[in-house]
Amino acid sequence: MGIGASAGGLLALEQFFKNVPADMPVAFVVIQHLDPDHTSLLQELLQRVCSLPVVQATDGMRLAPGTVYVIPPNGELEVFDGGLLLSQPTEPRGQRMAVDTFFRSLADEQGARAVGVVLSGSGSDGSLGLRAIHAAGGLCMVQDPASAKFGGMPDSALRTRVPALVAHAEQLPALIGRALDGLGDAGTPPPTSPALAAGLARILKVVRAQTGCDFSLYKRSSIRRRVERRMAANAIEDLQTYARHLQENAAEVKALFRDLLINVTSFFRDQAAFAALQAKVLPRLLEGKAAGDTLRVWVAGCASGEEAYSIAILLREAMEEVHRDLRIQIYGTDLDAEAIAAARTGVFPSGIAADLSPDRLERFFVKEEAGYRIKKEIRELVVFAVQDLVKDPPFTRLDLISCRNVFIYLEAELQDRLLSLFHYALGPGGVLLLSPAEGVGSRADLFEPIDRKWRLFRARRTTAAAQAAPRAGLSWLKTFAGSDIMPKNPETDGAELTRRTLLQCYAPASVLADLEGTILYVHGDTGPFLRPAPGQATLNVVAMARGSLQLDLQAALHQVATKGKAVRCSVPRLRSAGRRLGFSVMVRPVPALKGGQRLLLLSFQEEKVLPPAKPGGGKVSARSTESAKVQELRHALAATRESLQGTIEEQQTSREELQSTNEELQSTNEEVQASNEELETAKEELQSVNEELTTVNAELQTKVDQLSAMQDDLKNVFDAISVGTVFLDERLRVKRFSREACRVFRLVATDVGRPLADIKSSLVECDLLPDAEAVLQSLAPIEREVRSVDGSCYLARLLPYRTVENSIRGVVLTFMDVTKRVEAEAAEQEQRTLSESIVDTVREPLLVLDGELRVVSASHSFHASFGTSHASTIGRPVYELAGHRWDIPRLRELLETILPRDQAFEGFEVSAPAPDGGQRSTRLNARRLLGPAGGRPLILLAFGP
C-alpha cells in the first residue's frame, strides 16, 4: 500500500495509523513531501501512534507485511522485485512528483495487489499514479477533502474518478481491511462456474438498461475484477445481491460504469511507439498531401484526451520540420461523457511533466495554478465527442486511426468487428496504430504491418477488404442506410409569405457582408453585378464584382468601415448579358446585434438602361463605343488613383504607428515573458517550500505538544515528591525551580534568569554558592544538612546538570525536608541517655539488648561484676559474653521464642566468671521494652543472686 501526503499530511497519517490493526497483512509505504535539508521526525512521530514497526526506507530494503516504511528527506522511492529502490530526485525542487513516481512503480510491480491512498496535501501529486493503479486493477482510496487540512491532492485525485472509496483518514483502515477481505473471497464463485456467468450477465443487463452501453463482449476476467472491487467497497459478498443493489441504486451503476470504462492514459504513452509513428508514418502522410489539403485522424477511446493531444503535437512538429501547412482534423471519441468533458477543458495535473520533455512542455502548454493547460494552437486541432464504437457510425476518409489499450479489454469477436470498422473508415494508404499488447489477429487480410513491434498497420485495398464492413454486422450501417436525411420544410404563414413577396418585388438586390467584404446573405438577383471569381472559390464581394465595380466597391467598403457612415457610388456603364447598365451602389452600416459583429448592407439600384447599339451603325457606332470605353477607362483610372493615393497615405501612417507600437509591444512582451518565467519558477519553488515547511511545522508542533506534556508531568512529579529543586545554568543563574524550593529561597516567577547570589535564602549560617561552584569544577556531588530560620532541617544535595548528550550545563540543587528525622534522632539520643543514666544508677548488673540480641548498653555494675569493659561489650551478641558460657540452647529458646511471646521470664540460672577469676552462679531475669517513639523493641536483662 502506497500512502501519499503533503502539507497537513502528518495529522492525517496519525489518524490513519492509529486505526490500523496490528494483524493487517500489508506493507505500508508512506510518501510525503519533506524538506530535503531538514532531518525528518516522521518515523518517530508515527511510531508513537502506530502499533506496527515504523522504519525509514533505505535502498534495497525488502518489503515485509505488517511494517510501515517512510520516505527519507531528499529521496525518491520506487518498488522493484519486492524491494524498495531509493534514488536522488532528478527534477528541480518544486516540480517533484514523488507520490506519482511511487504509485506508478507500485502499479507495474504489484498490479491488482496494489493499493493507493491519497491523504491531505496541496497540488495534484498522486492523481496520475492513482490512474495507473486503477488501470492495473488495484484499489484506490482518497481522504474526504472536507476532512483534510489541505484538500488540493484529494480534490485532484477525485477528479480522475478512479477512487473506489472516499472517507475520513481514521475510517480508511477499516474500509481497506473490509475491501481486502472481500477481494478473492472464498464465497465468490470460481471463474468458470455457471453461478458466476449468470451473476455477471444479470449485472451487465442492469448496466445496459440504465446506461445504454453493452459490455457483454468485454473480457469476463476484467469485468469480474471490477465487479468484485465494487462489491468489496459496498461490503457485498454475493453477485445476485449486488445485482439487486444496482437495480435500486443508480449512483452505484454510475460508479461501476466508470470502473468498467478504465479511462487511463497519459501523454506519449509508450514513447518508442510514438517515435516509430513520427519516423515511419507521419512523413509519408504529409508527403501525400498538397498544400491546403486536410489530414484526418481518429483517436478512438481517447479517455481524457492525452493521446489525441500527443498526436496533435507530433503533427505540428512534423509540419514545422518539413515546412508544410496542412489542415489538421483530429477526432477524439470515447464512451465516457465525463472523460470527454475533461478532455475538452485541456487542463492536466502538474504530474504530466514526468511524461513530457521540457521543450514540449514549454512549447505547447501554459502553466496554471491547477496544472498545465494545452495551448490554443493544439486545442483547435482536436474535436472531442462521445461515441460508442459499436452503435455509432465511424468517421470516414481517415489518414490515421489510433485505438490503443482498448482491445485488451474486449473479446475476440468484438475485436474483429472493430477491425472491420477501422478498415472501412480508413482512406487509401490509411494507418492503424494499436498498443504493444494488441494486434489485428484474424483480420490480417485487412492490414499489412509497418512496424510489428509497435503495432503500426496500413490498410489493404482488396475486394474482400471492401466487403468487410458490411459483413461485420455493425448496427450503425443499418441505421444509417435507413435514415431520412431530407428535412421537411416548415409551413409558412400568410404574414411571412406577404413579407417575402414584397421584398422580392420592390426591394433592390442586396448582399449582407462583414467589414472584410465576406458575403453572409444574398437578397434578390445580384447576377448583373456580381459573378463567381475565377480560381479558388470565395464569397468576397469585391472579388466577385463585375468590371470597374471592384474599385468603387473597395473604396466604398473602406470608407464605411473607417467612418461608419453610408456611402453611395455610381457606376455609369457596366455591360451584363448584352446590355449596358447604369446603376448605383449604396453601402450602409448595419447596427450590430448585442455582442455580435459589425455588418454592411450593399444595395444595387439600377438607374437607367442603355439600349444596345443598332446594327449597321458603322463608323459612328464604333467611335461612340470607343469614346465610351475611353471615358470609362479614364473614370476608372481617376478613381483608382484617388483610392490608391488615399490608401497609400493611410497605409504609410498606419505602418509607422504599427511599427512603433510593435517595437514597444515586442520590448514589453520580452520583459513580461522574462518576468513571467521568473515568477513561475519562484511560485513553484515557494509552493514546494511551503509544503515542506508545513510538514516541518506539523512535526515541530507535535514535539511542542510532547514537551508541554512532559512539563506537566515534571510539575506533577515535583509537587508529588515535595522536594525543593532549583536548576542553575553554567553561570549559576536560575533556570527553573519547584514550588517547594520557595521555602528555602525567596523565589518568584520573575527571578528566572537572575543569579542565585541575588536571591535571599532562609538558611542559617550556610552559603551554598561555593558548593555549587565546586560541583561545576569537580563534577562531584555534594551533600550536607542545613537549617532554616524557622527551625526546619533540609538535606541539601548539589549535583551537576547533565544533558542527554552527557554534557554539563549547570547545577541542580535539591532540598529534602528531614526535620522529623532529625527530631526523632535527637529524641532517641535523649531517651538513650536517660536510660543509660537509670541503668547506671541501679546496683544490679543490667544489659540492654536490641532485636538482634546485641548489647546496646551495659551498666557500671555489670562491668564491675563480670570484669568487662565498655569497648568489649557494646555491639556484641549476648552469646559471646562470659566466654561464650551463655551460648546455650535453653537461653536461646528463652530469648528468641518465649520472650517475644510472654514478654518476660525470671529466675533462669546461669554461671558467670567472677572478678577474682572463679565461677559463680547467677539468676537471669528478662523483659521486652519498646524503643523511643515506637521504634525498635529492646530487651532488658538483669542479673541477680
Side-chain angles (χ1 to χ4, degrees), residues 147-165:
S147 68
K149 190 173 183 181
F150 292 86
M153 286 174 58
D155 280 330
S156 179
L158 289 177
R159 284 196 294 269
T160 64
R161 300 177 296 113
V162 300
L165 295 173

Side-chain angles (χ1 to χ4, degrees), residues 10 38 149 692-703:
L10 180 59
H38 176 76
K149 190 173 183 181
E692 294 163 359
L693 288 178
T694 302
T695 302
V696 173
N697 182 62
E699 294 178 353
L700 293 179
Q701 182 61 43
T702 303
K703 277 295 184 182

Side-chain angles (χ1 to χ4, degrees), residues 726-886:
V726 179
F727 294 94
L728 305 177
D729 61 13
E730 299 93 329
R731 299 173 62 181
L732 301 182
R733 293 177 301 189
V734 178
K735 294 198 301 183
R736 181 179 298 175
F737 57 88
S738 66
R739 182 180 59 189
E740 294 295 325
C742 298
R743 297 174 57 186
V744 180
F745 292 94
R746 298 178 182 177
L747 292 166
V748 294
T750 56
D751 289 332
V752 175
R754 293 180 58 190
L756 186 64
D758 295 347
I759 309 298
K760 186 174 179 60
S761 72
S762 62
L763 301 179
V764 178
E765 297 179 356
C766 179
D767 187 5
L768 297 178
L769 286 177
D771 294 340
E773 294 174 352
V775 169
L776 276 179
Q777 294 295 327
S778 64
L779 304 184
I782 295 177
E783 183 175 303
R784 58 188 298 187
E785 287 188 2
V786 295
R787 185 178 296 273
S788 65
V789 294
D790 61 358
S792 300
C793 295
Y794 298 94
L795 178 62
R797 290 192 179 97
L798 292 86
L799 301 96
Y801 182 99
R802 296 180 183 271
T803 64
V804 178
E805 293 80 12
N806 200 30
S807 62
I808 305 302
R809 295 294 178 84
V811 178
V812 180
L813 278 72
T814 61
F815 301 92
M816 183 179 296
D817 192 345
V818 294
T819 304
K820 292 183 179 180
R821 178 179 64 80
V822 172
E823 292 176 350
E825 290 177 352
E828 183 179 0
Q829 183 63 32
E830 183 179 352
Q831 184 68 24
R832 179 177 295 177
T833 302
L834 179 61
S835 299
E836 290 178 353
S837 299
I838 296 173
V839 168
D840 289 340
T841 304
V842 177
R843 292 183 178 183
E844 294 181 350
L846 296 176
L847 283 179
V848 179
L849 307 180
D850 61 11
E852 297 178 358
L853 302 180
R854 293 180 180 273
V855 178
V856 176
S857 177
S859 65
H860 291 295
S861 59
F862 178 84
H863 293 307
S865 300
F866 297 105
T868 61
S869 64
H870 182 80
S872 62
T873 304
I874 301 302
R876 296 183 64 188
V878 68
Y879 304 123
E880 295 180 3
L881 303 178
H884 292 274
R885 288 189 180 89
W886 295 342

